[in-house]
Amino acid sequence: MGALTTLLALAIANVSGYCLYHSAQSIPKLQRYEQKAEKAAEWSNVAEKRLWDTRYTVGAGFLMTTISFLTAFSHIIFTWRSFGTVAWTAALAAGELGVSGYMKSFWSNKSKIPLPSMGDYNEAISDTERVMGLSDVLGVGWAVFAGLMLLRWVGLGV
């Protein structure tokens, strides 16, 4: 693999790993409030929807960053030259941007709760905000990677 694509894969793996760390950190923090949220969900459809949306968005961020990390790591170790690589990395770019948009659509209007007992919840929001912002970076990184791999596939080097 060319030096440029290897460096880009290394950068994507690092950013993905950082996102994965923050995503994994947010899950147990949010789970500390899950029992209260489930009780509220028994009485309110809005609370139930918010509980499931929280689970889905955080899970989607975790899953996408895991896939991104594993793919970037595999590109560092193995040489990939098929058109399938171009398609897969283009799909990763679209997936990262899609998941980021999905997460932002839910979390953008959620504010931190200024109570001492909600510290972990507020930290989980901060962790999730980091994942959302860096998912955009990963989406652009995978798009550039797909472009470089397409150039290689058609025989223009890189």
Side-chain angles (χ1 to χ4, degrees):
M1 186 180 289
L4 186 57
T5 53
T6 301
L7 287 174
L8 184 55
L10 187 59
I12 290 171
N14 282 322
V15 173
S16 296
Y18 183 76
C19 279
L20 192 56
Y21 169 78
H22 283 289
S23 187
Q25 291 294 309
S26 71
I27 293 170
K29 292 174 186 172
L30 290 169
Q31 285 176 333
R32 290 184 185 121
Y33 301 94
E34 191 148 321
Q35 188 175 25
K36 292 176 188 175
E38 286 174 345
K39 285 199 185 285
E42 291 175 8
W43 298 96
S44 168
N45 290 336
V46 173
E48 182 178 21
K49 181 176 178 356
R50 184 170 176 170
L51 173 62
W52 282 103
D53 285 347
T54 300
R55 290 171 175 164
Y56 289 146
T57 56
V58 171
F62 181 80
L63 182 62
M64 196 68 226
T65 56
T66 301
I67 293 168
S68 180
F69 177 78
L70 293 174
T71 302
F73 190 72
S74 74
H75 279 288
I76 294 167
I77 295 174
F78 303 110
T79 300
W80 302 75
R81 293 180 188 241
S82 69
F83 182 74
T85 302
V86 176
W88 175 249
T89 54
L92 277 173
E96 283 287 356
L97 295 172
V99 164
S100 176
Y102 172 62
M103 292 176 75
K104 287 176 184 174
S105 71
F106 175 71
W107 287 98
S108 65
N109 61 358
K110 307 297 180 272
S111 54
K112 295 180 181 178
I113 302 169
L115 294 173
S117 63
M118 298 301 286
D120 283 341
Y121 182 80
N122 292 334
E123 287 180 27
I125 290 175
S126 296
D127 287 333
T128 302
E129 288 171 345
R130 283 186 195 97
V131 172
M132 288 185 297
L134 290 172
S135 288
D136 290 334
V137 172
L138 289 171
V140 171
W142 282 119
V144 170
F145 194 94
L148 292 173
M149 293 306 291
L150 180 62
L151 290 174
R152 170 178 279 174
W153 186 71
V154 296
L156 296 176
V158 185

